[in-house]
Amino acid sequence: MEIIMAFVCGFLFMAAIYLILSRSLLRIIIGTGLLSHGAHLLILTMGSFKGSAPPVLTEGVTDFVDPLPQALILTAIVISFGVTAFFLVLAYRAYQELKTDDMTELKGSDDIE
């Protein structure tokens, strides 16, 4: 199962880098979201799968899953949601003002006064 998850993480990172390197602001935002999902999946995979083992200790349980990666991923999901929402609002406001989402036009040039 870890091999499949490693390939999925690699595919998510590959797609995210492709989208981040594009010129459209919306694609860049989607790329950052994919990059964060790939990182979440990577952390979950590194936490190892134990099948049906519970993430908490109770009486008589000897095989358990470490709950720390799950807690870190839950926190990271909330943070990435907030950052993505901020990026979307920022991009919407930039589009309203400048009427474009092309990064080459957004950075401007020295010729414009």
Side-chain angles (χ1 to χ4, degrees):
M1 186 69 169
E2 283 86 4
I3 298 295
I4 295 171
M5 297 303 263
F7 281 117
V8 171
C9 289
F11 180 76
L12 284 174
F13 283 133
M14 176 193 63
I17 296 298
Y18 175 76
L19 288 173
I20 287 173
L21 292 176
S22 67
R23 293 181 359 188
S24 172
L25 191 57
L26 187 60
R27 285 186 177 192
I28 293 171
I29 294 170
I30 293 170
T32 58
L34 278 179
L35 190 67
S36 68
H37 286 308
H40 299 158
L41 196 59
L42 182 65
I43 293 171
L44 184 67
T45 304
M46 288 187 331
S48 76
F49 297 112
K50 301 262 180 153
S52 63
V56 293
L57 283 174
T58 58
E59 289 295 322
V61 175
T62 58
D63 190 26
F64 62 95
V65 176
D66 186 18
L68 184 63
Q70 297 170 9
L72 287 174
I73 292 169
L74 187 59
T75 305
I77 288 171
V78 171
I79 292 170
S80 67
F81 176 73
V83 169
T84 303
F86 175 71
F87 281 163
L88 285 172
V89 169
L90 194 64
Y92 179 68
R93 185 72 179 130
Y95 184 76
Q96 278 183 334
E97 290 293 321
L98 302 171
K99 303 293 187 240
T100 185
D101 72 336
D102 190 6
M103 290 303 291
T104 56
E105 294 177 17
L106 286 175
K107 69 178 180 180
S109 67
D110 296 335
D111 298 337
I112 300 173
E113 295 181 8

